[in-house]
């Protein structure tokens, strides 16, 4: 954070808030005005250092700030009014909380003297957000405002990142005091550990060097701590197989032979089987969530487990580990790399080579194979075409569902912070507003929003925001006329009773996109997929909404049923048929 000097100016609370954002180096603030925050909006109007982005719904503001934070590593900032403004933002706040995304959320509040009186547009923003924020503040005195904002940014960005809410009553924004933005703050009860325990690090390295079937499992913490290069160096030094979680994609290059693909519920066959059979597991910046672990009793049953995480509460929370290391991923990996260089990468090369032969046997079964000769557009083919045309270098946001999993499986991310999705909360409607935040942060980069016809309807009003700010996002809609993942579960586990998963009465997305001032394209033939994507991506001035009419019956494979082990996957037809023949 930037160091700022003191000032003897007397300012209103609104002016102080505006100045704090400037002094903190905030580039964009996403928001929507209302009565309780009009003093703040007036102060923002009278300056030009911080650019305000007017969304069309407060949920859009929270997702846009979130997308900006994920892509840049800097905290996202949003401003909403009291009452419904604050409650509309809660879904986006919870999304950021689940994925440990740094955000500072400024909510307006009724006058201090009216709090608790059920005043117009009053809600208890502190009480409502408490379960889904890293911390929150109610500022009752204008003299506390600047220091509180400094604390909010410090808390949001340090340790395990997360959203912090600052609730500001309207009279606090009108009152005056001398402006002073502190250079730094200390919070007595908050002292996150960054340096890992040296003894535990040495023990972990020794276990890895002795392993016969090692496995590295990395998550979003590697991306958040900008440790992808360290992870890659460490993995290449050892020559071990590696898998990423959904949130960790891009932390290790997908094109590298050591990468086994994503693991978990929709992970690759080779990644899941390697996890199940490994004898030493190194988990880095991952939280062992249920979509990865499945049946806890069957999770890596033969492995000694090492876990590196900045948050001590995440270690042994759901899976008991043998070697816990509390510290930042970058710090611990730096120490591990140095230790391996000092000792030499003296692994059991014969055993590891035999392990790789076993893994290559699993990989040869090509679990992501699909029908490339289909006369109906296969969603996987659209993602692969998108990867080819963008050279794998686009920022890809997604909504939630089958399209999200296909994007994760088939795009092949080689860089961190290029894959922007709602992992923990699984928030439909995330993709388009998140793409707004990404495109504003990187105006010259290609940004693609992979979505479905159900998800896009959740925040489709943000197409208006895209027009206002001239954002040339490429909306890639894989339209199968179903809530695809819901339909898949109903097919597998509810005997094909498709209760309310069929999307009846869909709009004409081409006409809808055109009505918002964008370019709409409908694609129904596999032969037209490449041309539509090339046209959209080549135009760097306008938003394109490409409505791909895809196969309604296509499912995401592999799939692990909830409560099953990694070795108990639903597999695609070609693998099932080959097993039957065997």
């Amino acid at each position: 954070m930037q160091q700022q000097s003191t000032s003897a100016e007397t300012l209103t609370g609104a002016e102080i808030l505006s100045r704090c954002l400037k002094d903190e180096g905030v580039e964009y603030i996403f928001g929507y005005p209302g009565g309780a925050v009009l003093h703040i909006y007036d102060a923002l109007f009278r300056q030009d250092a911080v650019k305000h982005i007017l969304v069309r719904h407060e949920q859009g503001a929270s997702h846009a700030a979130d997308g900006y934070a994920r892509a840049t590593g800097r905290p996202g900032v949003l401003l909403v009014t009291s009452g419904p403004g604050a409650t509309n933002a809660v879904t986006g706040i919870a999304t950021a909380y689940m994925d440990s995304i740094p955000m500072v959320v400024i909510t307006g509040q009724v006058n201090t003297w009216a709090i608790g009186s059920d005043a117009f547009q009053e809600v208890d923003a502190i009480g409502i957000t408490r379960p889904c924020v890293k911390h929150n503040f109610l500022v009752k005195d204008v003299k506390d405002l600047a220091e509180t904002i400094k604390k909010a940014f410090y808390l949001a960005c340090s340790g395990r990142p997360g959203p912090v809410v600052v609730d500001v009553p309207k009279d606090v924004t009108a009152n005056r005091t001398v402006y002073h933005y502190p250079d730094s703050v200390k919070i007595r009860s908050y002292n996150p550990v960054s340096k890992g325990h040296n003894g535990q690090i040495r023990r972990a390295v020794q276990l890895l060097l002795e392993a016969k079937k090692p496995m590295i499992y990395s998550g979003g913490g590697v991306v958040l701590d900008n440790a992808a290069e360290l992870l890659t160096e460490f993995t290449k030094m050892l020559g071990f197989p590696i898998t990423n979680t959904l949130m960790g994609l891009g932390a290790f290059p997908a094109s590298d032979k050591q990468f086994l693909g994503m693991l978990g519920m929709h992970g690759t066959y080779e990644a899941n089987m390697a996890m199940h059979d490994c004898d030493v597991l190194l988990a880095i910046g991952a939280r062992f969530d249920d979509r990865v672990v499945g049946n806890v009793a069957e999770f890596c049953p033969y492995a000694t487990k090492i876990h590196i995480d900045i948050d001590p509460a995440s270690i042994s929370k759901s899976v008991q580990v043998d070697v816990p290391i509390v510290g930042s991923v970058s710090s611990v990996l730096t120490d591990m790399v140095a230790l391996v260089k000092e000792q030499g990468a003296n692994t059991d090369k014969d055993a590891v080579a035999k392990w790789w032969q076993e893994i290559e046997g699993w990989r040869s079964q090509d679990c992501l194979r699909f029908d490339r000769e289909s006369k109906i557009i296969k969603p996987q083919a659209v993602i692969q075409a998108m990867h080819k045309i963008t050279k794998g270098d686009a920022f890809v946001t997604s909504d939630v569902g089958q399209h999200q999993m296909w994007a994760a499986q088939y795009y092949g991310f080689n860089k961190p912070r290029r894959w922007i999705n709602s992992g923990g909360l699984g928030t439909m409607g995330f993709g388009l507003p998140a793409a707004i935040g990404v495109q504003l942060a990187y105006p010259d980069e290609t940004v693609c929003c992979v979505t479905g016809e159900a998800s896009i309807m959740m925040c489709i009003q943000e197409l208006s925001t895209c027009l206002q700010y001239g954002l040339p996002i490429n909306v890639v809609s894989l339209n199968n006329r179903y809530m695809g993942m819901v339909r898949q579960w109903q097919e597998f586990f509810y005997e094909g009773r498709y209760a309310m998963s069929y999307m009846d009465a869909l709009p004409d997305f081409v006409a809808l996109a055109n009505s918002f001032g964008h370019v709409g394209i409908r694609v129904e033939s596999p032969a037209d997929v490449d041309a539509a994507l090339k046209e959209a991506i080549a135009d760097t001035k306008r938003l394109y909404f490409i409505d791909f009419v895809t196969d309604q019956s296509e499912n995401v494979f592999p799939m692990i049923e909830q409560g099953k082990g990694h070795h108990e996957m639903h597999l695609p037809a070609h693998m099932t048929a080959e097993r039957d023949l065997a």
Side-chain angles (χ1 to χ4, degrees), residues 1-5 7 9 11-27 29 40 43-44 47 49-50 75 77 104 106 139 142-153 166 168 177-182:
M1 290 186 286
Q2 295 184 356
Q3 299 289 305
Q4 298 297 330
S5 59
S7 170
E9 292 178 273
L11 304 175
T12 67
E15 291 167 338
I16 286 171
L17 185 49
S18 174
R19 186 72 68 84
C20 288
L21 298 177
K22 174 188 173 184
D23 289 350
E24 194 62 44
V26 172
E27 183 180 18
I29 184 169
I40 302 172
L44 289 172
Q47 59 84 54
V50 181
V77 185
V104 173
I106 300 161
V139 182
V142 68
K143 294 176 182 176
D144 300 327
L145 183 57
E147 184 176 8
T148 302
I149 295 296
K150 188 70 175 182
K151 286 180 179 178
F153 278 96
V166 182
V168 188
T177 192
V178 172
Y179 176 65
H180 164 63
Y181 196 57

Side-chain angles (χ1 to χ4, degrees), residues 392-415:
D393 207 32
F395 286 88
V396 180
T397 73
S398 85
D399 275 301
V400 172
Q402 287 180 316
H403 58 271
Q404 176 190 26
M405 294 300 109
W406 284 316
Q409 290 176 328
Y410 291 90
Y411 191 79
F413 295 91
N414 281 334
K415 298 178 183 178

Side-chain angles (χ1 to χ4, degrees), residues 72 205 226 237 336 419 421-422 451 539 552 567:
T72 64
V205 168
N226 300 313
M237 285 170 63
M336 284 184 142
W419 170 234
N421 83 118
S422 169
T451 187
D539 191 339
Q552 287 187 289
H567 61 307

Side-chain angles (χ1 to χ4, degrees), residues 535-550:
E535 178 185 347
I537 291 164
D539 191 339
T540 59
K541 301 297 182 184
R542 302 187 69 184
L543 181 148
Y544 277 67
F545 190 117
I546 314 176
D547 188 27
F548 290 98
V549 180
T550 62

